[in-house]
Amino acid sequence: MSSHTHNPSAAASGRHIEFAEHSEASAELLEYWRSITKRKWPILGFTLAAAVVATAISFALTPVYKSTNTMLIESTKAKVLSVEEVYSGISANREYFETQKEIISSKEVAVKTIKALQLWNYAEFDPRKKKGLIDSILGGDVDGAQAWTEDRLANAVYGKFAKSLTIELVRLSQLVKISFESSDPQLAALVANKVGEVYVDSDREARFGMTQGANQWLNGRLESLRAKLDTSEKALQAFREKEGIIALKSDAQGGASNQIADVTSMLVSARMRRAEAENAYKQVKSVRNGDYRSVPSVVNNSLVMDALRSESEAERAVSDLSQRYGPEHPKMVQAEAQLKSAREITQRQIQTVVSSLTQAYEVAAGTERSLEQSLNQARGSVVDLNRKEVQLGALEREVNANRQLFDMFMNRAKQTGASDDLQSAVARSVDPARIQGTPIKPQKPQIVAIAALLALLLGASVSLLLDRLDNRLNSTDEVERKLKFPLLTGVPLFAKSTRQESAYLVEKEPKSIYSEAVFTARTGILLSSIDLSHRTILVTSSVPAEGKTTFSLNLALAMSHTRKTLLIDADMRRPTVAKSMELDMLRPGLSQLVAGTAKLDECIQVTGESGLHVIAAGAIPPNPLEILLSNRFKEMLSGLSEQYDMILIDSPPVDLVSDSLVIAPLCSNTIFVTKSDATPYQLARKSLLRLNAAGANILGVALSHLDFERAERYYGQTSTYGSYGAGYYGAAYGGRTYGADTKTS
């Protein structure tokens, strides 16, 4: 069996989490969309206004034209590039072109261009123009304060000139683009071309200045070098005359050197011959028995070799004949005679060679000694010449050095004087600037589009920000999302003309949207606990004027149609039930009933077509909380719950007093009423948490004063029952004339 088992519940839980996350993200995006759409007309109006303003501004702006002069900068560096430079696309002289770019954009070139064109005479760059009234008051009269010289005008124009000038190197090339922007298209082309010309002329002037400086320095150095050369030449000539040297190197020293070289060469050869003869002589002298046949120098002699060959042939002939003939045979005798003669000849040749070797050794030794003596004599005669040559060489080297230095400076002076470098320009124009007919800015469609887009984004952002800052409950969706409690019903606004009848709306106008909302709440209450036959419902809110009492009255009337219902006004601080329902306000109520000063029959009043039983608050006690905390109140409430199917208690607001916190644990359920578009959700949630902590069983939240038409238009909500009473409700309440429930607490 596999160790991994499928868990359907876990998989379903994972899918539920993913669906929940997706739903939350979709809901958040939907909220953003609703926030924008509910203010779409203000946003669109703001966008249209921004577009109109941008259009007016763009048409009011002065058009700017741009002309570009493309120039080729001549490189002064080597043209051969390395493989790395070829593949990287960056040449070795990139720094050179960057330097030229900075030179073109320098202030020196700019000021020269301004002066050459006298740009201060153009209205666009004229710093002498009259200032406005405020500037005149603050800065005074500029024309009177300073005298406009050419340098001052050029410096004043330079700031705006530099902003209008653009220098750009073209990648992977020796091209540079000089661009100038101006409201005058002719001036833009003129300045772009003039900047290039001034740049080339400035380079030529700089190199000419360097040449002139080098010329002056070279001429000064030549004078001192010429004097030094004259002094060294005079010293050399005086030394030659003193020593009587006319051409030492070419004649005397050359002959002595040749003699020594010849003698040395001959001596080397003589020593080699003597060494060979000595070797042969020693071999001959080493023989003791007179047999020189073992000496290589003797045996290798050609005469000896021939004699030995003849002797060998004679011996072979004797050996051959001895095998066929006897010793007395004539042929045998003749062969032996020839052998004897051959041996005698061989011996004589060996003796001759030995004698010649000895004689050759003696001759070679004598020749060597003679050559050594000649070499020593030649060397002795050269020593004196060498001593003088050393001093002569030093003087000649000084003369030569001075002459070379003088010649070099002379040649350089001639080259500098000729100004050959000025023949080549540092750059040349390959595409001069031309007059452009279309301005580069302002880009009117782009400006209008960007302004409209920014206005649209700003309007949407402000709308989202307003909704983020709005801490009120504006829709039924926000109730569950922000309060974390279920929504029981959304209670709409009612017309101002029906304020006096607000307590009986469900009976007098049962088809209205308000009545439908109350019926929806009744249905939710009845379906929440079907098995309970007796229930006690507490109705409360956070603060006064949230429609709590009106909702309680109409809900009690709606309940009384199907259940035996009792309505208790537990707000003994500001009671309004008796006044709203036009009951007898002098009859005893809850305070007297709990205190025991009145009986139940005396406190109950019946109202409405269905016979709703009502217990008013009665006389206002000094401390209502003590009455609610008493056991008599608990016993009374327990006894009444046995007599009535449904008891509704209208209690004070939670945030002001703690009466509701005391009553809530004694009730089956609690309904919390909060006002739409008024009560901060933080306050409502705080009240709900306090009720929950006190032990209340919160059935749901009723959102009162809800404008359904506005909620549908702004928040995408629709009333599930609005179609039933729309016509009647619109006729009865005068369409959109809604008012707040000022009678209820």
Side-chain angles (χ1 to χ4, degrees):
M1 179 182 292
S2 173
S3 59
H4 301 283
T5 58
H6 179 64
N7 191 345
S9 62
S13 177
R15 289 192 297 270
H16 177 72
I17 293 174
E18 292 178 0
F19 178 76
E21 293 177 350
H22 183 267
S23 299
E24 291 179 0
S26 301
E28 186 174 1
L29 293 176
L30 183 59
E31 287 299 320
Y32 291 159
W33 174 249
R34 288 174 177 173
S35 175
I36 295 173
T37 54
K38 74 179 180 181
R39 300 183 180 94
K40 60 182 178 181
W41 295 117
I43 293 175
L44 293 177
F46 178 67
T47 302
L48 180 60
V52 171
V53 172
T55 302
I57 293 176
S58 62
F59 276 94
L61 293 175
T62 302
V64 177
Y65 299 86
K66 180 179 181 180
S67 294
T68 301
N69 177 19
T70 304
M71 300 192 69
L72 173 65
I73 298 178
E74 301 293 346
S75 175
T76 59
K77 296 189 176 182
K79 302 300 182 181
V80 180
L81 304 179
S82 63
V83 176
E84 291 80 3
E85 292 168 347
V86 172
Y87 281 102
S88 65
I90 302 176
S91 62
N93 53 4
R94 184 172 66 90
E95 293 80 4
Y96 171 76
F97 295 112
E98 289 289 345
T99 303
Q100 299 305 312
K101 173 187 174 183
E102 294 301 323
I103 293 175
I104 298 174
S105 58
S106 65
K107 185 176 182 179
E108 179 183 1
V109 174
V111 171
K112 288 183 179 180
T113 304
I114 294 171
K115 291 182 178 180
L117 297 177
Q118 295 186 349
L119 289 181
W120 53 80
N121 292 328
Y122 292 86
E124 181 180 356
F125 295 96
D126 190 0
R128 300 166 296 182
K129 292 189 300 183
K130 298 294 183 181
K131 293 187 176 181
L133 179 60
I134 298 178
D135 294 335
S136 300
I137 295 174
L138 296 178
D141 188 1
V142 179
D143 293 338
Q146 61 180 357
W148 287 106
T149 63
E150 187 174 284
D151 292 337
R152 191 184 296 273
L153 286 169
N155 290 326
V157 173
Y158 171 71
K160 187 173 182 180
F161 178 89
K163 293 180 180 179
S164 302
L165 183 66
T166 305
I167 311 299
E168 179 185 3
L169 287 175
V170 179
R171 181 177 174 81
L172 301 179
S173 70
Q174 296 178 208
L175 299 177
V176 60
K177 292 186 176 181
I178 304 174
S179 303
F180 192 79
E181 298 179 2
S182 173
S183 58
D184 185 353
Q186 296 180 351
L187 181 60
L190 180 62
V191 173
N193 291 327
K194 193 62 179 181
V195 169
E197 295 176 5
V198 171
Y199 161 63
V200 175
D201 293 342
S202 298
D203 180 76
R204 285 175 174 169
E205 291 177 2
R207 288 197 285 178
F208 180 75
M210 293 174 60
T211 302
Q212 294 299 316
N215 250 337
Q216 295 176 1
W217 181 80
L218 288 173
N219 291 331
R221 288 289 296 162
L222 278 175
E223 294 298 329
S224 61
L225 290 174
R226 183 179 291 107
K228 191 174 182 179
L229 177 60
D230 292 341
T231 302
S232 61
E233 286 181 343
K234 290 178 181 180
L236 176 61
Q237 184 62 27
F239 178 77
R240 283 178 173 174
E241 292 176 357
K242 179 181 178 181
E243 299 297 333
I245 300 173
I246 303 302
L248 182 61
K249 284 191 175 181
S250 60
D251 296 335
Q253 189 179 15
S257 298
N258 292 336
Q259 182 182 0
I260 292 174
D262 294 341
V263 173
T264 301
S265 178
M266 293 171 62
L267 179 59
V268 171
S269 300
R271 284 177 177 175
M272 292 177 63
R273 289 193 299 272
R274 190 265 307 162
E276 293 177 358
E278 184 180 5
N279 184 33
Y281 175 75
K282 288 181 179 181
Q283 292 178 1
V284 171
K285 290 299 183 181
S286 64
V287 176
R288 299 299 181 184
N289 54 3
D291 186 6
Y292 298 101
R293 292 177 180 268
S294 60
V295 179
S297 299
V298 176
V299 176
N300 291 334
N301 188 273
S302 60
L303 297 177
V304 175
M305 291 177 64
D306 292 340
L308 289 175
R309 190 181 300 108
S310 299
E311 183 180 354
S312 177
E313 290 177 356
E315 288 178 353
R316 187 169 52 255
V318 171
S319 177
D320 292 340
L321 291 174
S322 64
Q323 293 178 4
R324 289 185 289 177
Y325 304 105
E328 299 297 334
H329 193 277
K331 290 184 179 181
M332 188 64 183
V333 173
Q334 182 181 1
E336 288 178 353
Q338 291 178 352
L339 176 60
K340 182 179 178 181
S341 175
R343 286 176 178 172
E344 291 176 355
I345 294 171
T346 300
Q347 190 62 32
R348 286 195 301 270
Q349 293 295 336
I350 290 175
Q351 290 297 329
T352 302
V353 171
V354 170
S355 299
S356 64
L357 289 175
T358 301
Q359 185 179 3
Y361 168 68
E362 293 175 354
V363 172
T367 303
E368 181 181 1
R369 287 190 297 271
S370 177
L371 290 174
E372 286 179 352
Q373 293 176 0
S374 299
L375 181 59
N376 291 333
Q377 291 176 359
R379 287 178 176 174
S381 63
V382 173
V383 169
D384 294 337
L385 293 175
N386 285 340
R387 292 191 186 99
K388 298 177 181 180
E389 186 68 23
V390 171
Q391 189 175 359
L392 180 63
L395 294 173
E396 288 182 343
R397 284 193 298 273
E398 183 179 0
V399 172
N400 291 333
N402 291 334
R403 181 178 291 111
Q404 290 177 1
L405 187 60
F406 177 78
D407 293 341
M408 181 184 67
F409 271 78
M410 180 62 73
N411 293 332
R412 186 57 182 168
K414 291 180 179 179
Q415 293 175 1
T416 306
S419 302
D420 291 337
D421 291 342
L422 297 180
Q423 300 302 322
S424 60
V426 68
R428 58 185 176 87
S429 179
V430 296
D431 187 10
R434 297 176 177 84
I435 300 175
Q436 302 296 327
T438 304
I440 60 168
K441 56 184 178 182
Q443 297 289 340
K444 299 176 182 177
Q446 185 177 359
I447 293 175
V448 174
I450 293 176
L453 179 60
L454 292 178
L456 184 63
L457 294 177
L458 180 61
S461 301
V462 171
S463 177
L464 295 176
L465 180 62
L466 291 176
D467 282 346
R468 287 293 182 182
L469 297 176
D470 188 3
N471 60 353
R472 300 171 299 177
L473 298 172
N474 299 310
S475 65
T476 55
D477 291 342
E478 293 181 352
V479 172
E480 296 185 358
R481 188 173 71 253
K482 293 182 178 181
L483 300 183
K484 308 300 180 183
F485 283 92
L487 175 70
L488 182 62
T489 185
V491 183
L493 289 167
F494 51 85
K496 295 179 180 179
S497 59
T498 60
R499 290 178 182 176
Q500 302 298 328
E501 303 175 352
S502 60
Y504 296 96
L505 283 176
V506 294
E507 290 186 348
K508 295 182 178 180
E509 298 173 0
K511 294 184 179 181
S512 66
I513 299 179
Y514 189 95
S515 300
E516 293 290 346
V518 174
F519 294 152
T520 300
R522 180 188 65 179
T523 304
I525 294 171
L526 296 177
L527 294 178
S528 62
S529 299
I530 301 178
D531 297 334
L532 293 178
S533 57
H534 303 281
R535 300 179 64 180
T536 303
I537 306 296
L538 174 68
V539 181
T540 186
S541 63
S542 297
V543 292
E546 292 195 88
K548 165 181 62 64
T549 300
T550 302
F551 177 74
S552 301
L553 300 179
N554 285 276
L555 180 61
L557 290 173
M559 287 289 186
S560 65
H561 292 166
T562 58
R563 299 285 191 277
K564 186 179 180 181
T565 305
L566 172 65
L567 174 63
I568 301 176
D569 187 0
D571 189 355
M572 291 177 287
R573 301 173 188 271
R574 294 176 58 186
T576 57
V577 171
K579 182 179 179 181
S580 299
M581 302 191 77
E582 299 177 354
L583 302 177
D584 186 0
M585 301 181 64
L586 299 179
R587 291 187 62 174
L590 179 62
S591 59
Q592 291 92 337
L593 180 62
V594 176
T597 59
K599 297 182 180 179
L600 179 62
D601 295 339
E602 298 174 351
C603 297
I604 293 177
Q605 300 184 56
V606 181
T607 185
E609 298 177 359
S610 59
L612 172 65
H613 290 193
V614 180
I615 298 179
I620 299 177
N623 193 350
L625 186 60
E626 293 182 358
I627 295 178
L628 299 176
L629 287 172
S630 64
N631 291 327
R632 292 180 60 85
F633 176 77
K634 297 178 183 178
E635 293 173 357
M636 179 212 68
L637 192 61
S638 177
L640 291 175
S641 62
E642 297 294 332
Q643 301 178 29
Y644 292 93
D645 298 331
M646 186 70 65
I647 299 176
L648 277 91
I649 302 176
D650 182 32
S651 67
V654 178
D655 194 60
L656 301 181
V657 293
S658 58
D659 296 6
S660 299
L661 302 178
V662 175
I663 303 174
L666 306 178
C667 300
S668 305
N669 301 102
T670 298
I671 297 176
F672 187 83
V673 179
T674 185
K675 188 176 182 180
S676 172
D677 201 22
T679 305
Y681 76 90
Q682 296 93 339
L683 179 62
R685 178 156 178 77
K686 176 183 176 183
S687 301
L688 286 168
L689 292 177
R690 291 181 64 188
L691 289 169
N692 196 29
N697 182 17
I698 300 174
L699 180 63
V701 178
L703 186 61
S704 66
H705 296 76
L706 180 62
D707 188 345
F708 277 103
E709 183 177 347
R710 179 173 179 270
E712 181 178 358
R713 184 172 65 254
Y714 286 167
Y715 304 101
Q717 296 181 349
T718 56
S719 172
T720 56
Y721 43 80
S723 60
Y724 280 42
Y728 181 84
Y729 184 73
Y733 297 105
R736 289 280 293 122
T737 307
Y738 298 148
D741 183 4
T742 57
K743 287 182 63 179
T744 58
S745 60

